[in-house]
Structure formats: structure tokens, C-alpha cells
Amino acid sequence: MSRLSVYSVTIVTILAAWIIRWLLDPLLGDHIPFASFFIAVALAAWLGGLRPALLATGLGFVLAWFCFVPTRFSFELKELQHSIGLAVYLTVGFALAGFGEAMRIAQARLADQKEQLRTTFASIGDGVISTDASGNVTYLNAVAESLTGWRSSEAEGAPLTQVFRIVNESTRQEVENPAMRALQQGIIIGLANHTILIAKDGTERPIDDSASPIRDKDDAIVGSVLVFRDITERRQLERQNAERLHAAQLLSTI
């Protein structure tokens, strides 16, 4: 939401709070003149942070004082309790404004951290898949999308075992998913040798690497991250070297 929109909504909300308080006036009389304005200030703080909340506090202060605090339609104060009420309203309004600004700053920092983490994952040359604590996919980077055939948006929420299908190269038996073991055991798990990744379209690639649990600040496991790479070229080179060695051994027996 643009800043102009935030300020427009703030003003509309204050006017709505004034109308609501006016409609409740037969019931409330001279009591609780600021009741509806607190809600408007809280909403402005949530939407826009400090400045919109301060604007809402100021507008609400003037409207409530002039319209609902005795003597009405005047800024004259005859009783101490009304002065105290105005002071309390301002105090609470400023507190809400400060809280709203702190919340917005925290949200912005969290968004920046998430974007930085996403950018880091995207720039890694290996495939990266992250999951939640239940083993459901939360993110794939571009390399992982290419190797698995799944787009991150369509894989999100799906079981990892559905997106990351791996079997033993020789036996064709399913291999235990290392990310699931990392979630269960809370340790780094390496992929077994001769593991084949079966992509969504059926393409098969030899892969290797590992999975690690993701822990929160309290050391509780909240997910896992799986990092893997295509080792087709390395496997081909290993076969070529093995064939050369075998040929050399045959020649040496002649």
C-alpha cells in the first residue's frame, strides 16, 4: 500500500471512529469520549507505522476533545478528570504509534533476511530444497527446479518424497530420504552412494550431497535443507577411468 493510500485510510478511519462515537453518544454521554478513536490509532499504526499513527492520534484528540469532552464544541476544560483523560489518550496513542513502528521495522528486517536467504539459495550452484518440520517442501532454488522438474510454486506444500524421488542405481529400490532422516535424528545426513534422482518427467541423474536439520533459536527442529548436485559427468569420468584401467590390466597380462 502506498503512503498516500495509508494516509487516506487513516483519515477515513478517524472519521469513521468519530461517526461511531457520535452514534454511541446517547448511550455513553460524556463518558469514554475516546473509545472508538483508540481502534483507529491502532489500525493506523498497523498499516503505516509511526507517522500515520501520530496523525490519527492528533486528529482523534482534536475531534474527541471538541465534540465529546465537556464543555462540548469548545476547547475549554472545566474538570481535572477530563484533562487526565486527554493526557491518557495521548499517552496511549503515542505508545501505539511506537509499537506499530517497531513492528513494521521488525517485519521489514524479516522480509530483508528472507529475501537475502532466497537470493543466496538462488545463486548456489547446487540444488537446494527446504522443508518444514513435517517434511513438506517450502522452497526449491532454480537448480533444484531444473534437476527435479518441479517448479517451486507447484512443489510448495507437497511431501518431499514426492518431489525428490531417489532410488539405488543398482537395485532400483527406493533410498531413504536424507532430509527425512535429518528431521528425525537432528544430524547432518549424507546421501548413499550410487543414488539416482528421478525427475518429474522420468529423467534419471546420479546425485550426491547431504541434508541438515534447520533449528530455531530454541534449538528446536523446524525444518530441513537438502543440498544436492548432478554428478553425471563425474560418474562418466569414473567409468572411463575404470575402463582404461581394466584395458591396461589386460594388456599387461599379454
Side-chain angles (χ1 to χ4, degrees), residues 9 14 16 31 59-60 70 75 86 106 117-118 136 151 158 165 172 178 182 196 201-202 210 218 223-224 234:
V9 171
I14 284 293
H31 302 289
L59 290 176
F75 291 110
L86 290 170
L117 184 61
R118 187 176 295 272
N136 297 320
R151 298 183 62 182
R165 295 176 54 208
R172 307 301 297 179
I196 296 294
D201 62 1
S210 62
D218 297 320
S224 67
R234 191 179 81 188

Side-chain angles (χ1 to χ4, degrees), residues 2-48:
S2 68
R3 300 302 295 178
L4 178 60
S5 298
V6 170
Y7 284 110
S8 298
V9 171
T10 298
I11 293 173
V12 170
T13 304
I14 284 293
L15 292 177
W18 176 76
I19 292 172
I20 291 172
R21 181 58 181 81
W22 187 268
L23 294 174
L24 292 174
D25 195 60
L27 177 64
L28 298 178
D30 293 338
H31 302 289
I32 321 177
F34 303 102
S36 58
F37 294 98
F38 284 122
I39 299 174
V41 173
L43 180 61
W46 180 67
L47 289 176

Side-chain angles (χ1 to χ4, degrees), residues 159-207:
L160 177 62
T161 52
Q162 179 181 346
V163 176
F164 188 73
R165 295 176 54 208
I166 50 178
V167 298
N168 181 272
E169 183 178 18
S170 303
T171 66
R172 307 301 297 179
Q173 296 295 315
E174 288 190 5
V175 176
E176 184 178 9
N177 196 295
M180 302 307 294
R181 288 182 60 194
L183 284 172
Q184 295 166 1
Q185 301 178 20
I187 59 175
I188 298 175
I189 303 293
L191 287 174
N193 293 329
H194 305 292
T195 299
I196 296 294
L197 171 66
I198 303 177
K200 189 178 182 182
D201 62 1
T203 302
E204 298 185 1
R205 297 180 178 88
I207 59 169

Side-chain angles (χ1 to χ4, degrees), residues 45 83 86 214 225 239:
S83 299
L86 290 170
I214 300 174
V225 59
R239 290 197 183 101

Side-chain angles (χ1 to χ4, degrees), residues 130-135 138 179 182-183 212-216 220-225:
S130 63
T131 76
D132 59 20
S134 299
T138 57
L183 284 172
S212 302
I214 300 174
R215 299 179 182 272
D216 63 13
I221 296 176
V222 296
S224 67
V225 59

